[in-house]
Amino acid sequence: MDVRSLFAAQQYAASRPAMEPEPDSRGAGARLAGAARDFAATLTESEEISDAAMTGDADPHALVQALAQSELAVETVVTLRNKVVEAYQELLRMPV
């Protein structure tokens, strides 16, 4: 066995724990699912406040705040979708 390959194997073994995910960290799928639940909850809350405002049971300030929150949530989701589509198109353009 060559000394350089032994040294490389030792360096790899030493750096491997630094690359492993932390045991308490959530995966990307779980984080994405949580973000989708938060998005749906924001839209549901805004819809309930809008319904209450139409019947006169809600404060106008709460309505404006709910509309701003839902607008921000939709803009964020649209931006995320655009980034995902852009990344997918970039992968399609890669030579095989």
Side-chain angles (χ1 to χ4, degrees):
M1 179 178 250
D2 190 11
V3 174
R4 290 178 294 199
S5 61
L6 180 62
F7 181 71
Q10 289 172 346
Q11 290 296 331
Y12 176 75
S15 65
R16 188 168 182 196
M19 295 182 290
E20 291 178 358
E22 296 178 16
D24 62 338
S25 67
R26 298 186 312 173
R31 283 183 278 171
L32 188 59
R37 279 192 298 275
D38 291 344
F39 173 71
T42 300
L43 291 184
T44 303
E45 181 182 340
S46 297
E47 188 174 305
E48 290 171 359
I49 292 174
S50 299
D51 289 343
M54 283 191 259
T55 60
D57 296 335
D59 182 29
H61 297 291
L63 176 64
V64 170
Q65 185 179 9
L67 290 175
Q69 286 178 345
S70 63
E71 181 182 6
L72 181 63
V74 169
E75 286 177 1
T76 302
V77 169
V78 168
T79 302
L80 180 63
R81 178 197 60 107
N82 290 344
K83 291 290 185 180
V84 169
V85 168
E86 183 180 319
Y88 179 71
Q89 288 174 344
E90 191 70 28
L91 286 173
L92 288 178
R93 281 186 237 135
M94 288 180 148
V96 177

